């Protein structure tokens, strides 16, 4: 801010330099603030804005900001003609330093208004002017531009990127090329510039118009109906004054109708309206189009921090593999409070979904956290939640429910056996998916391995892995202190293979074995018994930390979904997008194959290869 003879420039960015300013001319009869952007020593653009420090006795006057493409003469330069230097300091730049030749080739920039006092909070005239300009200028301008962007060249080279999202969501509104953003900026700016040019600008107009504009854009792309259908039935004229998410989704699907910004009346005038949008809107609001999923993966929350790795909290965070961001730690108290509320009141809820070969797959979440599964008094409540979810899926007509992680814990419900036994007439198939988990781990082991060291050896997965390997004549060192449980597993093996199963009670027994299969957490002290070059295969949750630099560590068993999967918008915990835990993949295979048996309780060792071949047949691949 300055006085009538000077003004100040506000430089933003480290690369801006105001020692030598080229190509600037400002016809300025009042006061205000300016912004000058420097690139390579030359001004690229200037923005003039009202100054909040202007003296109230000075009149309002318009200011025209102009840009020039060539340098200004400076008499001190060699040859008598050079560059005029504009001094940018705290006192401002004198207008006397600027040239006033009317013949200079100026490029017109931005017209704005310099005001002598702060903008009023509200001016109803300005709001009315902006509304009229929106209807009379912005809406038809957007309609015409949008139809042009659907023409051959513009669509192929620009607008097709915007339509590349098969399922619209609020972020789709901003997914466009710079040219489209410029057009949308012009559409949005017209009502504001018109109101300010007529002297009716206000703070409420600026913030209110921008907020409403962005809200309506986001609402249209939300893919969720907000306005009730009965409102349009009571006032049919509203159908042509405000669009709906269904109206816009039809545009993204058909691409030859519903081009308007917010007001379908312009589609009516342009004969591009699709009237079935309103019937579809009513159907959606009534729940008539709800689709029953074919497959449900029943997960649970891991911990407080990872509970924020969900699309409805941070979509950008959930779209990447989970990691401990610092800002998530700041939100820990809020997340912890939500955990307590969920523990007291919440029921199983839908988290995400995707489509695979015409089948809808969903992930439901039991509102319980990992540590709660180890609290004796919490087990009944957890089983009740799982049972209700299974019964709900059965009532809906879901074909397969796959239990994730601790939801199938042996000590909790016998790997799902409890639910199948309690409800023998279930039509939905209950699956723990561990058969494919075992198959993924076993197929990671090199074919030439003759001996492996197995921890967690008497667990569900440990038992299956031991029995499978001993049939392949591979010696298995089973770490367990329970001789009874070891002998029980050993007796399940064929008599000619039983000698391949060896019980060990200490980690020292594996100091010469380079293939470790880890089903139980290993401390750094326990890992040091592994010889250099050891590879740690693991099915322990959470995975062990790799302390040994002279060893390699495998990740948790997982598979990549087929390439024709659609609608994946988030990552499953630490997996990259499109990769799911093997037990999840096992349920997918069960659904795709149409198997009618329950996969609960102990793993059927004879089906490990069958499930593996089925997974590969359907395009799932190991990672």
């Amino acid at each position: 801010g300055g006085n009538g003879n000077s003004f100040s420039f506000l430089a933003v960015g480290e690369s801006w330099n105001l020692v030598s300013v080229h190509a600037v001319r400002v016809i300025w009869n009042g006061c205000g603030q300016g912004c000058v952007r420097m690139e390579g020593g030359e001004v690229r653009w200037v923005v003039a804005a009202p100054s909040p420090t202007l003296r109230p006795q000075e009149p309002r006057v318009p200011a025209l900001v102009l840009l020039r493409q060539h340098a200004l003469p400076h008499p001190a330069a060699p040859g008598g003609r050079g560059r005029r230097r504009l001094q940018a300091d705290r006192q401002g730049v004198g207008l006397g330093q600027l040239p006033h030749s009317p013949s200079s080739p100026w490029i017109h920039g931005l017209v704005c208004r310099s005001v002598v006092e702060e903008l009023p909070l509200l001016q109803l005239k300005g709001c009315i002017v902006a509304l009229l300009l929106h209807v009379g200028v912005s809406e038809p301008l957007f309609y015409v531009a949008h139809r042009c962007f659907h023409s051959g060249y513009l669509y192929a080279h620009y607008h097709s990127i915007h339509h590349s999202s098969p399922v619209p969501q609020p972020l789709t509104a901003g997914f466009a090329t710079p040219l489209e953003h410029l057009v949308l900026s012009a559409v949005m700016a017209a009502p504001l510039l018109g109101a300010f040019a007529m002297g009716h600008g206000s703070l409420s107009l600026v913030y209110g118009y921008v907020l409403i504009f962005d809200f309506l854009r986001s609402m249209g792309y939300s893919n969720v109906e907000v306005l009730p259908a009965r409102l349009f039935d009571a006032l049919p004229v509203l159908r042509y004054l405000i669009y709906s998410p269904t109206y816009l989704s039809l545009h993204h699907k058909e691409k030859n109708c519903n081009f308007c910004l917010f007001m379908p009346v312009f589609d009516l005038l342009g004969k591009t309206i699709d009237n079935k949008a309103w019937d579809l809107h009513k159907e959606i609001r009534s729940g008539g189009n709800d689709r029953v999923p074919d497959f449900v993966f029943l997960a649970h929350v891991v911990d407080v921090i990872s509970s924020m790795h969900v699309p409805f909290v941070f979509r950008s965070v959930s779209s990447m593999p989970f990691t401990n961001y610092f800002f998530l730690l700041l939100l820990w108290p809020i997340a912890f409070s939500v955990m307590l509320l969920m523990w007291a009141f919440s029921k199983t809820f839908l988290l995400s979904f995707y489509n695979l070969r015409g089948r809808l797959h969903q992930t439901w979440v039991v509102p319980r956290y990992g540590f709660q599964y180890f609290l004796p008094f919490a087990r009944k409540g957890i089983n009740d939640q799982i049972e209700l979810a299974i019964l709900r899926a059965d009532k809906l007509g879901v074909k397969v429910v796959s239990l994730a992680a601790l939801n199938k814990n042996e000590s909790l419900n016998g790997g799902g056996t409890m639910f199948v036994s309690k409800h023998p007439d279930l039509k939905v198939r209950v699956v723990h998916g561990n058969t494919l988990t075992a198959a993924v781990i076993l197929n990671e082991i090199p074919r030439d391995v003759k001996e492996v060291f197995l921890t967690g050896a008497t667990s569900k997965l440990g038992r299956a892995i031991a029995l499978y390997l001993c049939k392949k004549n591979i010696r298995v060192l089973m770490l367990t202190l329970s001789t009874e449980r070891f002998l029980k597993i050993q007796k399940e093996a064929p008599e000619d293979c039983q000698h391949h199963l060896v019980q060990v009670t200490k980690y020292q027994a594996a100091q010469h074995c380079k293939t470790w299969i880890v089903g139980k957490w290993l401390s750094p002290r326990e890992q040091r018994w592994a010889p250099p070059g050891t590879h740690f295969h693991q099915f322990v949750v959470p995975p062990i930390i790799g302390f040994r630099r002279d060893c390699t560590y495998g990740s948790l068993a997982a598979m990549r979904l087929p390439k024709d999967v659609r609608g994946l918008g988030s990552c499953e915990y630490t997996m990259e997008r499109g990769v799911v835990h093997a037990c999840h993949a096992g349920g997918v295979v069960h659904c795709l194959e149409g198997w009618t048996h329950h996969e609960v309780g102990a793993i059927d060792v004879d089906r490990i290869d069958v499930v593996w071949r089925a997974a590969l047949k359907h395009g799932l691949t190991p990672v």
Side-chain angles (χ1 to χ4, degrees), residues 295-301 348-349 362-367 373 382-383 385-393 400-408 413 419 430-431 583-584:
F295 167 77
V296 167
F297 183 58
L298 190 59
H300 63 81
V301 189
T348 300
F349 59 90
Q362 294 182 346
T363 296
W364 296 359
V365 178
V366 174
Y373 285 76
I382 293 173
N383 276 328
Q385 290 275 358
I386 298 172
E387 182 179 2
L388 286 173
I390 292 174
L391 293 176
R392 178 187 172 196
V400 176
V401 171
S402 182
L403 304 178
L406 296 175
N407 284 337
K408 59 193 173 194
N413 51 46
F419 310 117
V430 181
V431 176
C583 59
H584 184 157

Side-chain angles (χ1 to χ4, degrees), residues 340-359:
L340 296 178
L341 291 173
M342 290 174 63
W343 196 352
F345 303 108
S346 182
K347 296 181 180 180
T348 300
F349 59 90
L350 172 65
L351 175 66
S352 61
F353 66 91
Y354 60 89
N355 290 276
L356 179 61
R357 297 173 190 171
R359 295 177 173 89

Side-chain angles (χ1 to χ4, degrees), residues 123-181:
Q123 277 202 24
L124 292 178
K125 289 184 179 180
C127 296
I128 295 173
V129 169
L131 177 61
L132 293 176
L133 289 175
H134 177 86
V135 176
V137 177
S138 296
E139 287 283 350
L141 178 61
F142 181 89
Y143 178 81
V144 172
H146 197 179
R147 291 199 66 175
C148 290
F149 273 114
H150 275 263
S151 62
Y153 179 84
L154 289 177
Y155 184 83
H157 292 82
Y158 293 92
H159 199 52
S160 59
I161 296 176
H162 177 73
H163 279 271
S164 62
S165 298
V167 180
Q169 53 183 305
L171 292 178
T172 308
F175 188 49
T177 59
L179 177 61
E180 293 170 284
H181 282 300

